[in-house]
C-alpha cells in the first residue's frame, strides 16, 4: 500500500499545483487500494479438502481424461487435498489448497489468484497502471514548466538537470518511479489481456505448446465477457 500512497502524497504536496489533477490521482489511489484489498481478502476459489477418513475404498486413478470442445483435457487427483480436481483447478504449494481456475500465487496480495478474484486482480493492474501514467505525465509537465523558468544556458541539458536536481528533484524521482512502474505494470496488463482473449490462465500458458488453442476458447468477446 505504501508503494501506492506515498508517491501520490509526494505528488500532491510537491508537484501538483491544481486541485483537479490531485483529486484525480487520489481517486485512482482509492481504486487501487479497493481492488487490492478485494483481491487479497476475497476467496480465490479454494476447494475444500476431503478428510482422509472419507477416502474411497477403491484407489482413485491418478488422472481422468475428458473432452472439452473436442479437445482432450486431463483432470488430476490431488493426494494432498484427497480430491479429483475440477477442470482448470490446480494445487498451490504456498496456500496448500487446490484453487478453481488457478492462475498464480501473487506475492503482492499474499494469496492465490483464481476464479473468484481474477477480475479484481485485473482491475487492480489497470488502476495502478493508470495511476503511474497519471503521475508520470504530470511530472514531465511540471519539470518542463520549471525548466523553462530557469536562466538560459547554451546547453539545454545542463538547464534541465540543474533545475531537476536542485529544485525539482522530487518530480524527477517520481517520474523515474512512475516510468518503471508504468512500463512493468503495462507489460503485465498486456500479458493478462492476451490471456483473457485466448481463454488461458498464466499456468496454462506456461505449460502450453506454442500455437496450442485453449479448449475453453469461446471467441475473444465471449472470453472477455466471461472474465469481466
Amino acid at each position: 500500500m505504501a508503494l501506492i500512497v506515498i508517491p501520490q502524497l509526494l505528488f500532491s504536496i510537491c508537484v501538483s499545483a491544481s486541485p483537479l489533477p490531485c483529486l484525480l490521482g487520489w481517486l485512482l489511489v482509492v481504486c487501487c487500494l479497493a481492488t487490492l484489498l478485494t483481491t487479497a481478502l476475497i476467496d480465490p476459489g479454494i476447494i475444500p479438502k476431503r478428510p482422509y477418513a472419507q477416502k474411497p475404498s477403491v484407489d482413485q486413478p491418478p488422472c481422468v481424461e475428458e473432452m472439452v470442445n473436442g479437445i482432450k483435457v486431463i483432470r488430476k487427483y490431488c493426494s494432498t487435498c484427497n480430491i479429483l480436481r475440477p477442470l482448470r483447478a490446480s494445487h498451490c504449494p504456498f496456500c496448500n489448497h487446490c484453487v478453481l481456475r488457478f492462475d498464480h500465487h501473487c506475492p503482492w496480495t499474499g494469496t492465490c489468484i483464481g476464479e473468484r478474484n481474477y477480475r479484481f486482480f485485473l482491475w487492480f493492474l489497470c488502476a495502478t497502471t493508470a495511476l503511474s501514467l497519471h503521475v508520470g505525465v504530470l511530472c514531465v509537465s511540471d519539470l518542463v514548466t520549471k525548466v523553462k523558468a530557469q536562466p538560459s544556458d547554451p546547453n539545454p541539458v545542463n538547464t534541465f538537470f540543474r533545475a531537476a536536481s536542485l529544485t525539482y528533484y522530487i518530480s524527477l524521482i517520481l517520474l523515474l518511479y512512475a516510468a518503471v512502474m508504468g512500463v512493468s505494470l503495462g507489460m503485465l496488463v498486456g500479458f493478462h489481456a492476451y490471456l483473457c482473449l485466448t481463454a488461458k490462465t498464466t499456468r496454462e500458458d506456461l505449460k502450453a505448446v506454442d500455437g496450442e488453442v485453449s479448449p475453453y476458447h469461446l471467441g475473444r468477446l465471449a472470453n472477455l465477457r466471461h472474465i469481466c
Side-chain angles (χ1 to χ4, degrees):
M1 291 186 184
L3 294 176
I4 298 173
V5 175
I6 292 177
Q8 176 60 29
L9 185 61
L10 290 174
F11 172 80
S12 301
I13 296 173
C14 305
V15 179
S16 180
S18 174
L20 185 59
C22 184
L23 178 61
L24 178 58
W26 282 110
L27 288 176
L28 288 172
V29 167
V30 171
C31 291
C32 291
L33 296 180
T35 51
L36 174 62
L37 290 174
T38 304
T39 303
L41 297 178
I42 197 173
D43 175 16
I46 293 175
I47 304 171
K49 296 180 180 180
R50 184 170 61 181
Y52 278 89
Q54 300 178 14
K55 190 172 183 178
S57 57
V58 180
D59 289 340
Q60 181 72 44
C63 62
V64 174
E65 294 183 354
E66 293 187 9
M67 298 296 293
V68 177
N69 294 326
I71 300 176
K72 182 174 69 175
V73 295
I74 298 176
R75 295 177 58 191
K76 294 183 178 180
Y77 172 76
C78 178
S79 58
T80 302
C81 297
N82 191 27
I83 60 170
L84 183 65
R85 297 177 192 148
L87 292 173
R88 311 190 79 179
S90 183
H91 188 85
C92 175
F94 299 98
C95 298
N96 199 31
H97 282 285
C98 286
V99 179
L100 294 170
R101 207 177 72 207
F102 176 78
D103 189 87
H104 68 285
H105 184 89
C106 180
W108 299 105
T109 61
T111 186
C112 290
I113 305 301
E115 182 175 86
R116 296 172 186 165
N117 65 349
Y118 183 71
R119 61 170 58 93
F120 300 107
F121 174 73
L122 288 182
W123 294 345
F124 169 68
L125 291 181
C126 292
T128 48
T129 303
L131 179 61
S132 298
L133 292 174
H134 172 76
V135 172
V137 169
L138 291 178
C139 284
V140 169
S141 176
D142 179 71
L143 286 170
V144 170
T145 301
K146 299 302 192 261
V147 165
K148 288 182 178 179
Q150 294 296 313
S152 60
D153 189 288
N155 188 342
V157 176
N158 291 338
T159 303
F160 175 82
F161 280 102
R162 183 173 65 246
S165 61
L166 296 178
T167 313
Y168 312 108
Y169 60 92
I170 292 181
S171 292
L172 183 59
I173 293 173
L174 287 175
L175 172 60
L176 295 175
Y177 177 80
V180 172
M181 295 297 292
V183 171
S184 302
L185 292 168
M187 293 174 63
L188 199 55
V189 168
F191 173 67
H192 280 280
Y194 155 76
L195 293 179
C196 291
L197 291 173
T198 55
K200 295 179 181 179
T201 64
T202 299
R203 182 177 180 277
E204 291 168 349
D205 185 69
L206 293 175
K207 296 182 65 177
V209 180
D210 289 344
E212 184 179 11
V213 178
S214 171
Y216 311 101
H217 183 66
L218 304 174
R220 294 181 178 179
L221 290 178
N223 292 340
L224 287 177
R225 284 196 296 267
H226 180 70
I227 294 296
C228 302

